Amino acid sequence: MTIQALSYFGLEVTDVDAWRSFAEDVLGLLSADDIADGTARFRMDSRAWRIEVTQGPADDLSFVGFEVADAQAFEEARERIERLGVSTHSGSEGLARRRGVLDLFYFSDPTGMQVEIFYGATELFEKPFHSPAGVSGFVTGGQGVGHVVLLVPNLIQARTFYEEVVGLRVTDIIDMPTAAGTIELVFMNCNPRHHSIAMGQASIGKRLDHFLLQVASLDDMGFAYDRALNAKMPIRATIGRHSNDHMVSFYAFTPSGVAVEYGWGARELNETWRVVRYDTASLWGHHELGPSKGY
Ligand code: FE
């Protein structure tokens, strides 16, 4: 099996309307044709949607979708995962229609999150993406939607799961110093994006530390920083550059309390990449301003 990308994810939030305004006005995402049940979905590119936001009390990540190339890779993935003793479930026709994919199956990760494997996403080239906030473009395509950073109760268990069951590769490790001691962060890839998922051990009652959206230019990132400040959104961390992927980014809190990293300029993986480790998460910047929730 070859996972090709983290292609979509879903959040559960208490206030969908506040989130929609934030997504359009600050992040620059385009609202997709909504599903009738009050769910909001957002586009970043030619895909029909990339981020789904549903109403609920969790204010957390509820599902992630990993993409494989075609029906054969899909069947191979399911057989391989079942052989590892993980029980998988076929996505219903209704769920496949809702996700806009040809087929999907799903299973739970060690935090109880729904992990979906799919192929056959819906492309809407006839409705070109345009950002309502004037973002020149998001870095997606072969690199997928962006990345998510998970807080897990048991790092070894979660790392093993995402390596062996999902089939991701470890990119590198950061031993990040914090006030509470050093926290080990593990970064994992499935395409040239430095990491599609990262994880660290923490128990704060939420599984998502932050999600990342990457934009095409430095100005796209800077304009978003200004929009976040002008909208009085709490800034979690100032603009900085990460030690491992070299992303220049800032962190803000979304209306649901979950943090978003908004970045530009990450370096990409190639066949010469070797796993390395770091003693710090950022070369410069990323000074924490908001309530500290880790990386
Ligand atoms: Fe990040």
Side-chain angles (χ1 to χ4, degrees), residues 147 149 195 210 212 242 251 261 295:
H147 70 234
V149 176
H195 55 286
H210 71 269
L212 161 119
H242 278 305
Y251 290 71
E261 178 184 7
Y295 167 62

Side-chain angles (χ1 to χ4, degrees), residues 26-94:
V26 178
L27 301 181
L29 302 177
L30 177 65
S31 281
D33 297 336
D34 275 0
I35 307 168
D37 62 3
T39 296
R41 300 208 296 187
F42 301 101
R43 294 184 62 196
M44 306 166 62
D45 56 12
S46 59
R47 288 280 166 96
W49 68 281
R50 289 277 192 187
I51 300 172
E52 178 177 300
V53 174
T54 50
Q55 205 284 326
D59 278 330
D60 204 356
L61 187 65
S62 49
F63 65 86
V64 292
F66 287 104
E67 181 166 4
V68 296
D70 53 23
Q72 189 185 336
F74 180 81
E75 293 305 331
E76 286 170 6
R78 187 155 188 186
E79 280 166 25
R80 194 177 116 348
I81 290 170
E82 287 275 348
R83 269 202 308 275
L84 291 166
V86 175
S87 49
T88 65
H89 310 275
S90 297
S92 65
E93 242 178 78

Side-chain angles (χ1 to χ4, degrees), residues 150-172:
L150 305 179
L151 302 171
V152 298
N154 182 324
L155 181 62
I156 292 170
Q157 182 192 38
R159 171 183 169 162
T160 303
F161 181 88
Y162 277 96
E163 275 189 285
E164 294 182 2
V165 176
V166 181
L168 307 183
R169 296 174 295 265
V170 171
T171 312
D172 51 27

Side-chain angles (χ1 to χ4, degrees), residues 44 129 131 134-139 214-217 220:
M44 306 166 62
F129 169 76
S131 166
V135 175
S136 74
F138 290 92
V139 177
Q214 185 176 345
V215 283
S217 79
D220 286 328

